[in-house]
mmCIF file of all heavy atoms in Angstrom:
data_model
loop_
_atom_site.group_PDB
_atom_site.id
_atom_site.type_symbol
_atom_site.label_atom_id
_atom_site.label_comp_id
_atom_site.label_asym_id
_atom_site.label_seq_id
_atom_site.Cartn_x
_atom_site.Cartn_y
_atom_site.Cartn_z
ATOM 1 N N MET A 27 100.902 94.736 93.651
ATOM 2 C CA MET A 27 100.138 95.982 93.659
ATOM 3 C C MET A 27 99.250 96.118 92.428
ATOM 4 O O MET A 27 98.167 96.658 92.521
ATOM 5 C CB MET A 27 101.082 97.175 93.746
ATOM 6 C CG MET A 27 101.827 97.287 95.068
ATOM 7 S SD MET A 27 100.783 97.309 96.511
ATOM 8 C CE MET A 27 100.096 98.919 96.438
ATOM 9 N N CYS A 28 99.728 95.628 91.269
ATOM 10 C CA CYS A 28 98.920 95.785 90.061
ATOM 11 C C CYS A 28 97.593 95.054 90.192
ATOM 12 O O CYS A 28 96.559 95.539 89.739
ATOM 13 C CB CYS A 28 99.675 95.318 88.833
ATOM 14 S SG CYS A 28 100.229 93.610 88.882
ATOM 15 N N VAL A 29 97.614 93.890 90.828
ATOM 16 C CA VAL A 29 96.390 93.112 90.998
ATOM 17 C C VAL A 29 95.378 93.883 91.839
ATOM 18 O O VAL A 29 94.190 93.913 91.537
ATOM 19 C CB VAL A 29 96.702 91.744 91.640
ATOM 20 C CG1 VAL A 29 95.445 90.977 91.942
ATOM 21 C CG2 VAL A 29 97.622 90.934 90.736
ATOM 22 N N LEU A 30 95.844 94.544 92.862
ATOM 23 C CA LEU A 30 94.950 95.300 93.738
ATOM 24 C C LEU A 30 94.435 96.567 93.065
ATOM 25 O O LEU A 30 93.342 97.026 93.355
ATOM 26 C CB LEU A 30 95.677 95.667 95.030
ATOM 27 C CG LEU A 30 96.158 94.500 95.890
ATOM 28 C CD1 LEU A 30 96.977 95.016 97.060
ATOM 29 C CD2 LEU A 30 94.981 93.670 96.371
ATOM 30 N N THR A 31 95.227 97.121 92.165
ATOM 31 C CA THR A 31 94.866 98.377 91.517
ATOM 32 C C THR A 31 93.803 98.189 90.448
ATOM 33 O O THR A 31 92.875 98.986 90.339
ATOM 34 C CB THR A 31 96.117 99.030 90.889
ATOM 35 O OG1 THR A 31 97.097 99.186 91.905
ATOM 36 C CG2 THR A 31 95.807 100.377 90.280
ATOM 37 N N VAL A 32 93.929 97.143 89.657
ATOM 38 C CA VAL A 32 92.982 96.921 88.555
ATOM 39 C C VAL A 32 92.780 95.408 88.359
ATOM 40 O O VAL A 32 93.317 94.790 87.464
ATOM 41 C CB VAL A 32 93.421 97.661 87.267
ATOM 42 C CG1 VAL A 32 94.745 97.231 86.747
ATOM 43 C CG2 VAL A 32 92.369 97.614 86.206
ATOM 44 N N GLY A 33 91.976 94.849 89.258
ATOM 45 C CA GLY A 33 91.752 93.407 89.298
ATOM 46 C C GLY A 33 91.072 92.823 88.078
ATOM 47 O O GLY A 33 91.186 91.637 87.819
ATOM 48 N N GLU A 34 90.377 93.651 87.300
ATOM 49 C CA GLU A 34 89.750 93.115 86.098
ATOM 50 C C GLU A 34 90.753 92.916 84.960
ATOM 51 O O GLU A 34 90.443 92.283 83.955
ATOM 52 C CB GLU A 34 88.577 93.986 85.629
ATOM 53 C CG GLU A 34 88.956 95.349 85.115
ATOM 54 C CD GLU A 34 88.927 96.441 86.170
ATOM 55 O OE1 GLU A 34 88.973 96.146 87.377
ATOM 56 O OE2 GLU A 34 88.860 97.610 85.780
ATOM 57 N N VAL A 35 91.956 93.447 85.128
ATOM 58 C CA VAL A 35 92.985 93.310 84.096
ATOM 59 C C VAL A 35 94.094 92.355 84.547
ATOM 60 O O VAL A 35 94.664 91.635 83.727
ATOM 61 C CB VAL A 35 93.587 94.695 83.742
ATOM 62 C CG1 VAL A 35 94.732 94.568 82.752
ATOM 63 C CG2 VAL A 35 92.496 95.608 83.182
ATOM 64 N N PHE A 36 94.387 92.320 85.832
ATOM 65 C CA PHE A 36 95.461 91.477 86.364
ATOM 66 C C PHE A 36 94.922 90.533 87.435
ATOM 67 O O PHE A 36 93.954 90.827 88.112
ATOM 68 C CB PHE A 36 96.563 92.335 86.999
ATOM 69 C CG PHE A 36 97.182 93.330 86.064
ATOM 70 C CD1 PHE A 36 96.863 94.666 86.154
ATOM 71 C CD2 PHE A 36 98.088 92.934 85.098
ATOM 72 C CE1 PHE A 36 97.425 95.595 85.297
ATOM 73 C CE2 PHE A 36 98.658 93.851 84.236
ATOM 74 C CZ PHE A 36 98.324 95.182 84.331
ATOM 75 N N ASP A 37 95.594 89.403 87.583
ATOM 76 C CA ASP A 37 95.302 88.465 88.657
ATOM 77 C C ASP A 37 96.638 87.965 89.194
ATOM 78 O O ASP A 37 97.682 88.247 88.619
ATOM 79 C CB ASP A 37 94.454 87.296 88.143
ATOM 80 C CG ASP A 37 93.776 86.527 89.269
ATOM 81 O OD1 ASP A 37 93.881 86.947 90.441
ATOM 82 O OD2 ASP A 37 93.144 85.511 88.980
ATOM 83 N N GLN A 38 96.587 87.242 90.285
ATOM 84 C CA GLN A 38 97.811 86.724 90.883
ATOM 85 C C GLN A 38 97.678 85.220 91.051
ATOM 86 O O GLN A 38 96.686 84.732 91.599
ATOM 87 C CB GLN A 38 98.060 87.382 92.236
ATOM 88 C CG GLN A 38 99.441 87.135 92.776
ATOM 89 C CD GLN A 38 99.763 88.077 93.917
ATOM 90 O OE1 GLN A 38 98.882 88.701 94.494
ATOM 91 N NE2 GLN A 38 101.021 88.185 94.240
ATOM 92 N N ARG A 39 98.681 84.481 90.557
ATOM 93 C CA ARG A 39 98.650 83.025 90.659
ATOM 94 C C ARG A 39 98.850 82.614 92.109
ATOM 95 O O ARG A 39 99.675 83.191 92.826
ATOM 96 C CB ARG A 39 99.741 82.401 89.798
ATOM 97 C CG ARG A 39 99.525 82.646 88.326
ATOM 98 C CD ARG A 39 100.413 81.817 87.444
ATOM 99 N NE ARG A 39 101.837 82.011 87.693
ATOM 100 C CZ ARG A 39 102.775 81.963 86.758
ATOM 101 N NH1 ARG A 39 102.439 81.737 85.509
ATOM 102 N NH2 ARG A 39 104.038 82.135 87.065
ATOM 103 N N GLN A 40 98.095 81.624 92.524
ATOM 104 C CA GLN A 40 98.176 81.133 93.898
ATOM 105 C C GLN A 40 99.473 80.370 94.152
ATOM 106 O O GLN A 40 100.037 80.453 95.236
ATOM 107 C CB GLN A 40 96.987 80.218 94.200
ATOM 108 C CG GLN A 40 95.648 80.928 94.198
ATOM 109 C CD GLN A 40 95.524 81.928 95.334
ATOM 110 O OE1 GLN A 40 96.024 81.723 96.427
ATOM 111 N NE2 GLN A 40 94.850 83.032 95.070
ATOM 112 N N ASP A 41 99.953 79.626 93.160
ATOM 113 C CA ASP A 41 101.101 78.748 93.389
ATOM 114 C C ASP A 41 102.423 79.479 93.583
ATOM 115 O O ASP A 41 103.245 79.076 94.391
ATOM 116 C CB ASP A 41 101.228 77.697 92.283
ATOM 117 C CG ASP A 41 101.378 78.301 90.892
ATOM 118 O OD1 ASP A 41 101.051 79.486 90.707
ATOM 119 O OD2 ASP A 41 101.820 77.568 89.974
ATOM 120 N N ASP A 42 102.627 80.580 92.853
ATOM 121 C CA ASP A 42 103.916 81.268 92.968
ATOM 122 C C ASP A 42 103.803 82.771 93.212
ATOM 123 O O ASP A 42 104.805 83.463 93.348
ATOM 124 C CB ASP A 42 104.776 81.002 91.742
ATOM 125 C CG ASP A 42 104.152 81.499 90.443
ATOM 126 O OD1 ASP A 42 103.103 82.176 90.501
ATOM 127 O OD2 ASP A 42 104.705 81.192 89.371
ATOM 128 N N GLY A 43 102.578 83.298 93.244
ATOM 129 C CA GLY A 43 102.384 84.714 93.541
ATOM 130 C C GLY A 43 102.636 85.663 92.388
ATOM 131 O O GLY A 43 102.530 86.872 92.550
ATOM 132 N N LYS A 44 102.958 85.139 91.209
ATOM 133 C CA LYS A 44 103.228 86.013 90.061
ATOM 134 C C LYS A 44 101.932 86.589 89.513
ATOM 135 O O LYS A 44 100.902 85.929 89.480
ATOM 136 C CB LYS A 44 103.939 85.235 88.959
ATOM 137 C CG LYS A 44 105.372 84.915 89.305
ATOM 138 C CD LYS A 44 106.081 84.303 88.131
ATOM 139 C CE LYS A 44 107.525 84.018 88.507
ATOM 140 N NZ LYS A 44 108.265 83.476 87.381
ATOM 141 N N ALA A 45 102.023 87.819 89.078
ATOM 142 C CA ALA A 45 100.876 88.480 88.465
ATOM 143 C C ALA A 45 100.746 88.012 87.019
ATOM 144 O O ALA A 45 101.740 87.770 86.338
ATOM 145 C CB ALA A 45 101.048 89.985 88.509
ATOM 146 N N VAL A 46 99.502 87.889 86.581
ATOM 147 C CA VAL A 46 99.233 87.504 85.197
ATOM 148 C C VAL A 46 98.250 88.502 84.594
ATOM 149 O O VAL A 46 97.429 89.092 85.299
ATOM 150 C CB VAL A 46 98.666 86.071 85.091
ATOM 151 C CG1 VAL A 46 99.698 85.056 85.484
ATOM 152 C CG2 VAL A 46 97.426 85.900 85.917
ATOM 153 N N VAL A 47 98.348 88.688 83.295
ATOM 154 C CA VAL A 47 97.463 89.600 82.584
ATOM 155 C C VAL A 47 96.219 88.832 82.150
ATOM 156 O O VAL A 47 96.316 87.814 81.472
ATOM 157 C CB VAL A 47 98.170 90.206 81.353
ATOM 158 C CG1 VAL A 47 97.229 91.118 80.579
ATOM 159 C CG2 VAL A 47 99.413 90.970 81.776
ATOM 160 N N LEU A 48 95.064 89.323 82.552
ATOM 161 C CA LEU A 48 93.802 88.708 82.154
ATOM 162 C C LEU A 48 93.265 89.314 80.864
ATOM 163 O O LEU A 48 92.633 88.644 80.071
ATOM 164 C CB LEU A 48 92.746 88.902 83.252
ATOM 165 C CG LEU A 48 93.069 88.303 84.617
ATOM 166 C CD1 LEU A 48 91.992 88.700 85.617
ATOM 167 C CD2 LEU A 48 93.185 86.791 84.519
ATOM 168 N N ARG A 49 93.505 90.602 80.697
ATOM 169 C CA ARG A 49 92.995 91.319 79.528
ATOM 170 C C ARG A 49 94.124 92.118 78.895
ATOM 171 O O ARG A 49 94.388 93.255 79.285
ATOM 172 C CB ARG A 49 91.863 92.254 79.937
ATOM 173 C CG ARG A 49 90.663 91.490 80.500
ATOM 174 C CD ARG A 49 89.518 92.365 80.810
ATOM 175 N NE ARG A 49 88.943 92.874 79.558
ATOM 176 C CZ ARG A 49 87.929 93.698 79.525
ATOM 177 N NH1 ARG A 49 87.383 94.134 80.635
ATOM 178 N NH2 ARG A 49 87.439 94.113 78.382
ATOM 179 N N PRO A 50 94.798 91.545 77.899
ATOM 180 C CA PRO A 50 95.916 92.245 77.259
ATOM 181 C C PRO A 50 95.506 93.568 76.616
ATOM 182 O O PRO A 50 96.336 94.455 76.455
ATOM 183 C CB PRO A 50 96.414 91.272 76.199
ATOM 184 C CG PRO A 50 95.797 89.967 76.507
ATOM 185 C CD PRO A 50 94.592 90.222 77.352
ATOM 186 N N GLU A 51 94.237 93.682 76.248
ATOM 187 C CA GLU A 51 93.733 94.924 75.666
ATOM 188 C C GLU A 51 92.548 95.405 76.503
ATOM 189 O O GLU A 51 91.390 95.208 76.139
ATOM 190 C CB GLU A 51 93.328 94.695 74.213
ATOM 191 C CG GLU A 51 94.521 94.322 73.349
ATOM 192 C CD GLU A 51 94.158 94.177 71.885
ATOM 193 O OE1 GLU A 51 93.196 94.834 71.443
ATOM 194 O OE2 GLU A 51 94.843 93.414 71.205
ATOM 195 N N PRO A 52 92.848 96.028 77.654
ATOM 196 C CA PRO A 52 91.767 96.482 78.538
ATOM 197 C C PRO A 52 90.948 97.594 77.891
ATOM 198 O O PRO A 52 91.430 98.282 76.987
ATOM 199 C CB PRO A 52 92.501 96.990 79.773
ATOM 200 C CG PRO A 52 93.886 97.241 79.337
ATOM 201 C CD PRO A 52 94.160 96.353 78.174
ATOM 202 N N PRO A 53 89.723 97.782 78.346
ATOM 203 C CA PRO A 53 88.888 98.849 77.787
ATOM 204 C C PRO A 53 89.492 100.224 78.055
ATOM 205 O O PRO A 53 90.234 100.417 79.025
ATOM 206 C CB PRO A 53 87.556 98.682 78.521
ATOM 207 C CG PRO A 53 87.854 97.867 79.725
ATOM 208 C CD PRO A 53 89.063 97.053 79.420
ATOM 209 N N ALA A 54 89.165 101.152 77.185
ATOM 210 C CA ALA A 54 89.702 102.512 77.307
ATOM 211 C C ALA A 54 89.401 103.114 78.671
ATOM 212 O O ALA A 54 90.204 103.857 79.216
ATOM 213 C CB ALA A 54 89.153 103.391 76.196
ATOM 214 N N GLY A 55 88.266 102.780 79.248
ATOM 215 C CA GLY A 55 87.887 103.316 80.549
ATOM 216 C C GLY A 55 88.777 102.855 81.684
ATOM 217 O O GLY A 55 88.766 103.447 82.765
ATOM 218 N N ALA A 56 89.556 101.815 81.459
ATOM 219 C CA ALA A 56 90.453 101.288 82.499
ATOM 220 C C ALA A 56 91.878 101.783 82.338
ATOM 221 O O ALA A 56 92.739 101.458 83.146
ATOM 222 C CB ALA A 56 90.432 99.761 82.478
ATOM 223 N N ARG A 57 92.135 102.580 81.323
ATOM 224 C CA ARG A 57 93.522 103.006 81.049
ATOM 225 C C ARG A 57 94.196 103.708 82.218
ATOM 226 O O ARG A 57 95.355 103.453 82.510
ATOM 227 C CB ARG A 57 93.579 103.897 79.817
ATOM 228 C CG ARG A 57 93.644 103.100 78.565
ATOM 229 C CD ARG A 57 94.173 103.914 77.407
ATOM 230 N NE ARG A 57 93.935 103.145 76.196
ATOM 231 C CZ ARG A 57 93.532 103.653 75.068
ATOM 232 N NH1 ARG A 57 93.315 104.950 74.971
ATOM 233 N NH2 ARG A 57 93.336 102.885 74.030
ATOM 234 N N ASP A 58 93.492 104.607 82.874
ATOM 235 C CA ASP A 58 94.110 105.322 84.003
ATOM 236 C C ASP A 58 94.496 104.351 85.115
ATOM 237 O O ASP A 58 95.569 104.465 85.691
ATOM 238 C CB ASP A 58 93.185 106.412 84.542
ATOM 239 C CG ASP A 58 93.066 107.596 83.600
ATOM 240 O OD1 ASP A 58 93.935 107.757 82.712
ATOM 241 O OD2 ASP A 58 92.093 108.361 83.746
ATOM 242 N N SER A 59 93.631 103.395 85.394
ATOM 243 C CA SER A 59 93.938 102.398 86.423
ATOM 244 C C SER A 59 95.102 101.512 86.002
ATOM 245 O O SER A 59 95.956 101.170 86.811
ATOM 246 C CB SER A 59 92.711 101.536 86.709
ATOM 247 O OG SER A 59 91.681 102.313 87.251
ATOM 248 N N VAL A 60 95.130 101.130 84.728
ATOM 249 C CA VAL A 60 96.242 100.310 84.223
ATOM 250 C C VAL A 60 97.544 101.099 84.306
ATOM 251 O O VAL A 60 98.575 100.581 84.725
ATOM 252 C CB VAL A 60 95.964 99.825 82.792
ATOM 253 C CG1 VAL A 60 97.200 99.167 82.192
ATOM 254 C CG2 VAL A 60 94.791 98.863 82.770
ATOM 255 N N ARG A 61 97.482 102.358 83.937
ATOM 256 C CA ARG A 61 98.676 103.214 84.015
ATOM 257 C C ARG A 61 99.178 103.293 85.459
ATOM 258 O O ARG A 61 100.384 103.223 85.718
ATOM 259 C CB ARG A 61 98.332 104.604 83.478
ATOM 260 C CG ARG A 61 99.532 105.392 83.033
ATOM 261 C CD ARG A 61 99.119 106.681 82.313
ATOM 262 N NE ARG A 61 98.937 106.418 80.894
ATOM 263 C CZ ARG A 61 97.827 106.642 80.205
ATOM 264 N NH1 ARG A 61 96.776 107.138 80.788
ATOM 265 N NH2 ARG A 61 97.767 106.385 78.921
ATOM 266 N N GLU A 62 98.260 103.411 86.417
ATOM 267 C CA GLU A 62 98.640 103.442 87.833
ATOM 268 C C GLU A 62 99.262 102.103 88.252
ATOM 269 O O GLU A 62 100.252 102.068 88.977
ATOM 270 C CB GLU A 62 97.417 103.748 88.699
ATOM 271 C CG GLU A 62 97.742 103.822 90.168
ATOM 272 C CD GLU A 62 96.524 104.124 91.017
ATOM 273 O OE1 GLU A 62 95.405 104.282 90.500
ATOM 274 O OE2 GLU A 62 96.706 104.202 92.257
ATOM 275 N N ALA A 63 98.680 101.006 87.784
ATOM 276 C CA ALA A 63 99.219 99.682 88.101
ATOM 277 C C ALA A 63 100.640 99.532 87.574
ATOM 278 O O ALA A 63 101.510 98.975 88.249
ATOM 279 C CB ALA A 63 98.327 98.594 87.519
ATOM 280 N N VAL A 64 100.887 100.030 86.370
ATOM 281 C CA VAL A 64 102.239 99.995 85.797
ATOM 282 C C VAL A 64 103.204 100.760 86.704
ATOM 283 O O VAL A 64 104.294 100.288 87.020
ATOM 284 C CB VAL A 64 102.248 100.586 84.365
ATOM 285 C CG1 VAL A 64 103.664 100.774 83.859
ATOM 286 C CG2 VAL A 64 101.452 99.691 83.419
ATOM 287 N N ASP A 65 102.791 101.922 87.143
ATOM 288 C CA ASP A 65 103.645 102.741 88.011
ATOM 289 C C ASP A 65 103.892 102.088 89.368
ATOM 290 O O ASP A 65 104.949 102.269 89.963
ATOM 291 C CB ASP A 65 103.023 104.124 88.226
ATOM 292 C CG ASP A 65 103.013 104.967 86.961
ATOM 293 O OD1 ASP A 65 103.775 104.653 86.019
ATOM 294 O OD2 ASP A 65 102.224 105.931 86.908
ATOM 295 N N LEU A 66 102.916 101.325 89.871
ATOM 296 C CA LEU A 66 103.029 100.720 91.193
ATOM 297 C C LEU A 66 103.683 99.343 91.196
ATOM 298 O O LEU A 66 103.992 98.813 92.266
ATOM 299 C CB LEU A 66 101.639 100.598 91.831
ATOM 300 C CG LEU A 66 100.946 101.904 92.188
ATOM 301 C CD1 LEU A 66 99.524 101.629 92.650
ATOM 302 C CD2 LEU A 66 101.725 102.644 93.262
ATOM 303 N N CYS A 67 103.892 98.749 90.037
ATOM 304 C CA CYS A 67 104.441 97.395 89.968
ATOM 305 C C CYS A 67 105.812 97.341 90.645
ATOM 306 O O CYS A 67 106.756 97.994 90.198
ATOM 307 C CB CYS A 67 104.560 96.950 88.514
ATOM 308 S SG CYS A 67 105.259 95.298 88.343
ATOM 309 N N PRO A 68 105.936 96.580 91.732
ATOM 310 C CA PRO A 68 107.195 96.563 92.478
ATOM 311 C C PRO A 68 108.360 95.965 91.692
ATOM 312 O O PRO A 68 109.507 96.294 91.943
ATOM 313 C CB PRO A 68 106.884 95.719 93.713
ATOM 314 C CG PRO A 68 105.665 94.950 93.381
ATOM 315 C CD PRO A 68 104.924 95.721 92.338
ATOM 316 N N ALA A 69 108.069 95.127 90.713
ATOM 317 C CA ALA A 69 109.137 94.509 89.920
ATOM 318 C C ALA A 69 109.390 95.262 88.618
ATOM 319 O O ALA A 69 110.271 94.884 87.855
ATOM 320 C CB ALA A 69 108.781 93.057 89.612
ATOM 321 N N ALA A 70 108.622 96.306 88.349
ATOM 322 C CA ALA A 70 108.714 97.062 87.096
ATOM 323 C C ALA A 70 108.614 96.120 85.898
ATOM 324 O O ALA A 70 109.297 96.284 84.898
ATOM 325 C CB ALA A 70 109.989 97.894 87.054
ATOM 326 N N ALA A 71 107.732 95.130 86.018
ATOM 327 C CA ALA A 71 107.603 94.095 85.001
ATOM 328 C C ALA A 71 106.483 94.361 83.999
ATOM 329 O O ALA A 71 106.301 93.594 83.069
ATOM 330 C CB ALA A 71 107.367 92.748 85.677
ATOM 331 N N ILE A 72 105.752 95.447 84.188
ATOM 332 C CA ILE A 72 104.626 95.747 83.307
ATOM 333 C C ILE A 72 104.961 96.971 82.472
ATOM 334 O O ILE A 72 105.443 97.976 82.977
ATOM 335 C CB ILE A 72 103.351 96.041 84.122
ATOM 336 C CG1 ILE A 72 103.032 94.868 85.043
ATOM 337 C CG2 ILE A 72 102.184 96.333 83.195
ATOM 338 C CD1 ILE A 72 101.942 95.197 86.034
ATOM 339 N N VAL A 73 104.673 96.867 81.188
ATOM 340 C CA VAL A 73 104.865 97.982 80.270
ATOM 341 C C VAL A 73 103.537 98.247 79.585
ATOM 342 O O VAL A 73 102.885 97.320 79.122
ATOM 343 C CB VAL A 73 105.943 97.648 79.212
ATOM 344 C CG1 VAL A 73 106.063 98.764 78.193
ATOM 345 C CG2 VAL A 73 107.273 97.378 79.871
ATOM 346 N N LEU A 74 103.130 99.481 79.538
ATOM 347 C CA LEU A 74 101.891 99.868 78.878
ATOM 348 C C LEU A 74 102.221 100.387 77.489
ATOM 349 O O LEU A 74 103.030 101.298 77.334
ATOM 350 C CB LEU A 74 101.171 100.952 79.688
ATOM 351 C CG LEU A 74 99.886 101.502 79.099
ATOM 352 C CD1 LEU A 74 98.846 100.402 78.950
ATOM 353 C CD2 LEU A 74 99.361 102.619 79.970
ATOM 354 N N SER A 75 101.606 99.791 76.498
ATOM 355 C CA SER A 75 101.810 100.204 75.122
ATOM 356 C C SER A 75 100.452 100.526 74.522
ATOM 357 O O SER A 75 99.570 99.677 74.459
ATOM 358 C CB SER A 75 102.481 99.083 74.333
ATOM 359 O OG SER A 75 102.612 99.437 72.979
ATOM 360 N N ILE A 76 100.290 101.779 74.069
ATOM 361 C CA ILE A 76 99.038 102.214 73.460
ATOM 362 C C ILE A 76 99.312 102.475 71.986
ATOM 363 O O ILE A 76 100.107 103.366 71.657
ATOM 364 C CB ILE A 76 98.493 103.482 74.146
ATOM 365 C CG1 ILE A 76 98.247 103.219 75.632
ATOM 366 C CG2 ILE A 76 97.220 103.956 73.460
ATOM 367 C CD1 ILE A 76 97.920 104.443 76.432
ATOM 368 N N PRO A 77 98.707 101.669 71.099
ATOM 369 C CA PRO A 77 98.941 101.854 69.675
ATOM 370 C C PRO A 77 98.672 103.281 69.227
ATOM 371 O O PRO A 77 97.680 103.890 69.629
ATOM 372 C CB PRO A 77 97.947 100.882 69.017
ATOM 373 C CG PRO A 77 97.670 99.854 70.066
ATOM 374 C CD PRO A 77 97.749 100.600 71.377
ATOM 375 N N GLY A 78 99.568 103.805 68.435
ATOM 376 C CA GLY A 78 99.410 105.157 67.921
ATOM 377 C C GLY A 78 99.950 106.241 68.804
ATOM 378 O O GLY A 78 100.015 107.389 68.408
ATOM 379 N N SER A 79 100.370 105.898 70.035
ATOM 380 C CA SER A 79 100.937 106.921 70.911
ATOM 381 C C SER A 79 102.431 107.054 70.620
ATOM 382 O O SER A 79 103.060 106.124 70.141
ATOM 383 C CB SER A 79 100.704 106.586 72.383
ATOM 384 O OG SER A 79 101.535 105.522 72.782
ATOM 385 N N PRO A 80 103.016 108.209 70.905
ATOM 386 C CA PRO A 80 104.440 108.424 70.623
ATOM 387 C C PRO A 80 105.369 107.474 71.377
ATOM 388 O O PRO A 80 106.470 107.204 70.931
ATOM 389 C CB PRO A 80 104.700 109.868 71.058
ATOM 390 C CG PRO A 80 103.388 110.459 71.394
ATOM 391 C CD PRO A 80 102.370 109.371 71.469
ATOM 392 N N ASP A 81 104.910 106.939 72.517
ATOM 393 C CA ASP A 81 105.748 106.049 73.326
ATOM 394 C C ASP A 81 105.703 104.600 72.854
ATOM 395 O O ASP A 81 106.419 103.761 73.360
ATOM 396 C CB ASP A 81 105.321 106.087 74.793
ATOM 397 C CG ASP A 81 105.512 107.470 75.388
ATOM 398 O OD1 ASP A 81 106.376 108.206 74.891
ATOM 399 O OD2 ASP A 81 104.796 107.806 76.345
ATOM 400 N N SER A 82 104.817 104.280 71.893
ATOM 401 C CA SER A 82 104.667 102.889 71.452
ATOM 402 C C SER A 82 105.823 102.443 70.588
ATOM 403 O O SER A 82 106.423 103.140 69.887
ATOM 404 C CB SER A 82 103.373 102.703 70.656
ATOM 405 O OG SER A 82 102.281 102.938 71.512
#
């Protein structure tokens, strides 16, 4: 799901289907989409960390 939500940040490997991060530091304008991708990740394998935020 993350790949479909924000394809400029994530991709999916053809050989095993695992998602990979293309842009570890996506632009600020993509944050909402990245946040949605984190929420939709079926394996809960993605964590969003924003420097300076209380959750970091």
